[in-house]
Amino acid sequence: MLQKAILGLRCTVRTVHLRSLRFLWGLSVDVKENPGDRMQAWQIHSYNGLEDLRLSNVRVPVITNPTDVLVKIEAASVNPIDVAMTDGYGNTLLNVMRKTKSLTSGPWGQLQELDLPLTLGRDFAGVVVSKGYDVGDRFKLGEEVWGVVPIEQQGCHANYVVVNSSLVNPRPPKLSYIEAASILYAGLTAWSALWITGGLCYKTTMATRLNRRVLVMGGSGGVGTLAIQLLKAWDMHVISTCSSDAVEMLQNLGADTVIDYKQDDADADIFSEGPYDIILDCANQGPEYVRMKGYPHNTYIALNSPLLKNVDHHGLIVGMAQNLGDLLKFNIPKEGNKSCVKWGFFMPSQTGINVLQEFVENEKITPVVQQVYPFQDLPQAYERLKQGHLRGKLVIDMR
């Protein structure tokens, strides 16, 4: 009987409705509103850069996991990973992750984890309109939330997104939907780079934090502004570099010392403020640059890891071997230099979201938004981000 019912469904696999899913697989879904079958999403259909970014009329994603929520997007930010992925950055490893997930996510998983067309966008603010049964009372239908989407999944530069409820939290009441959309991707990148990669989770106690000095290179961008605020919330001594027009902004964010890198004596000032427990490079200068300058430090953390690029260029096995070689190359002890090089990554983590949530609610983190674009002008935001030299985040208003 079940087989006949399945064969009798007059819809393609990609147009399965929530009711069909509930009938076939016992998936219980609570629904606030029926968005219909179609929505708008900014997508790429090939890896030809920004010229292939198109506003498409696509099917609304459906909940296929009992812990998922369907969120109506009100705002989303634009991040460097979005622009990079339009050129195919990370596609080889991300496809492996998609295929692996499809094997473990039930009979409908492989239908959602397609490579192209690809919707970009990693962090958002919105409203819960549907939820899987196992979400329970954690979210109410109609509740305002903020969250992140793992990079291997279809993103949130669309009217709706499906995401695991563990990566969603109630939106802090102190934040507008625009402000909330600007924080989580950059904030989780800074949190994981410092707390996990940098080892602050185990290296510090309350008594030693005030004595720890951290240099944030390029503190005026999205990750930099949040890294400064996180470090100050952890009672660290923060030194940051930026250009002259951003000095006052970083001082207002709490940086103890701000150095204009364009000044003639900038290198001497950076050197004299050390030694640093951590150098967090938000300016993509690279470990060779730091060693050439001779900035005294224990740990250097880069955010432009070659991991995905190596796999793209050399394949999975050779690429991973190349990654290991790159890491060893920079961590061979040299006379008079025992510092180490590490790579920081965006980490979609419920723990990290909770940390950022607490700091926002305690007013230890405030959003820095440079510009807001309407949904139809999203490509302009991508172009602006590609130019660099941002002062905070670019946000897309979806209302």
Side-chain angles (χ1 to χ4, degrees):
M1 293 296 294
L2 179 59
Q3 184 177 8
K4 291 181 179 180
I6 295 174
L7 293 175
L9 288 173
R10 293 188 175 182
C11 60
T12 67
V13 169
R14 290 178 60 86
T15 59
V16 174
H17 295 289
L18 294 178
R19 289 182 181 178
S20 301
L21 284 170
R22 189 185 303 118
F23 169 71
L24 293 172
W25 306 108
L27 177 66
S28 177
V29 180
D30 291 329
V31 182
K32 173 181 172 60
E33 64 178 61
N34 182 3
D37 290 336
R38 314 297 294 185
M39 69 174 184
Q40 288 190 314
W42 283 99
Q43 293 187 322
I44 55 172
H45 295 260
S46 65
Y47 295 117
N48 294 322
L50 297 185
E51 65 183 28
D52 194 47
L53 193 59
R54 299 284 185 272
L55 185 59
S56 305
N57 186 30
V58 302
R59 293 184 175 92
V60 174
V62 296
I63 292 175
T64 60
N65 187 312
T67 59
D68 284 349
V69 291
L70 175 66
V71 178
K72 183 177 182 180
I73 304 299
E74 295 188 316
S77 82
V78 179
N79 295 286
I81 187 68
D82 299 318
V83 175
M85 289 176 70
T86 64
D87 292 316
Y89 173 75
N91 183 54
T92 302
L93 185 57
L94 295 179
N95 271 341
V96 172
M97 296 170 67
R98 292 180 184 114
K99 291 174 182 177
T100 301
K101 183 173 182 178
S102 72
L103 296 175
T104 60
S105 58
W108 301 99
Q110 68 273 22
L111 305 175
Q112 293 185 335
E113 302 305 325
L114 300 176
D115 177 11
L116 293 171
L118 180 62
T119 304
L120 303 169
R122 296 302 117 199
D123 51 354
F124 61 86
V127 177
V128 175
V129 295
S130 301
K131 61 179 181 176
Y133 178 78
D134 287 350
V135 176
D137 296 330
R138 185 163 183 261
F139 295 110
K140 298 178 181 178
L141 296 179
E143 186 169 3
E144 296 178 330
V145 296
W146 65 340
V148 293
V149 185
I151 60 173
E152 73 275 10
Q153 295 182 19
Q154 295 286 354
C156 57
H157 288 165
N159 295 137
Y160 294 88
V161 71
V162 167
V163 64
N164 192 284
S165 58
S166 66
L167 300 179
V168 180
N169 263 14
R171 193 181 94 200
K174 294 179 181 294
L175 298 182
S176 69
Y177 70 102
I178 295 292
E179 293 172 327
S182 72
I183 290 178
L184 286 183
Y185 179 87
L188 288 173
T189 302
W191 171 80
S192 67
L194 294 165
W195 194 249
I196 306 299
T197 304
L200 294 182
C201 57
Y202 61 84
K203 287 181 179 178
T204 60
T205 64
M206 189 64 69
T208 62
R209 286 179 181 176
L210 287 172
N211 295 322
R212 292 196 173 271
R213 303 174 74 83
V214 179
L215 171 64
V216 179
M217 299 174 62
S220 60
V223 176
T225 55
L226 286 160
I228 290 170
Q229 295 181 82
L230 277 171
L231 289 164
K232 292 311 300 178
W234 290 324
D235 295 321
M236 306 284 179
H237 190 88
V238 180
I239 299 91
S240 188
T241 64
C242 63
S243 58
S244 56
D245 63 316
V247 169
E248 183 178 358
M249 179 183 75
L250 299 196
Q251 291 172 338
N252 291 336
L253 291 178
D256 298 282
T257 302
V258 182
I259 299 171
D260 180 355
Y261 68 85
K262 294 183 178 180
Q263 297 297 316
D264 292 338
D265 56 353
D267 283 337
D269 290 343
I270 295 172
F271 191 92
S272 65
E273 287 288 341
Y276 303 102
D277 293 281
I278 294 173
I279 294 179
L280 178 64
D281 186 358
C282 302
N284 294 334
Q285 295 290 357
E288 298 97 337
Y289 175 88
V290 172
R291 286 190 174 180
M292 178 189 70
K293 293 292 186 179
Y295 302 151
H297 65 283
N298 293 325
T299 301
Y300 166 87
I301 301 174
L303 298 179
N304 57 339
S305 157
L307 189 151
L308 294 179
K309 186 181 296 184
N310 282 338
V311 174
D312 287 339
H313 290 172
H314 304 291
L316 184 61
I317 296 176
V318 176
M320 295 305 289
Q322 182 68 42
N323 288 326
L324 180 59
D326 287 344
L327 193 61
L328 291 175
K329 176 178 67 175
F330 292 114
N331 287 287
I332 296 175
K334 296 182 179 180
E335 185 176 352
N337 185 358
K338 297 182 179 180
S339 62
C340 64
V341 173
K342 296 182 179 181
W343 298 331
F345 301 93
F346 161 67
M347 183 181 295
S349 161
Q350 185 177 47
T351 300
I353 294 174
N354 290 340
V355 170
L356 293 166
Q357 180 111 15
E358 178 184 354
F359 286 160
V360 166
E361 291 175 348
N362 292 337
E363 299 184 345
K364 293 184 177 181
I365 286 181
T366 58
V368 181
V369 177
Q370 174 170 326
Q371 191 169 349
V372 179
Y373 295 82
F375 185 45
Q376 63 268 23
D377 292 340
L378 179 142
Q380 295 180 24
Y382 276 55
E383 291 284 0
R384 176 63 189 89
L385 189 145
K386 194 173 182 179
Q387 296 170 15
H389 302 289
L390 294 178
R391 304 293 176 259
K393 293 297 297 292
L394 305 178
V395 177
I396 308 302
D397 190 344
M398 314 277 278
R399 281 186 176 179

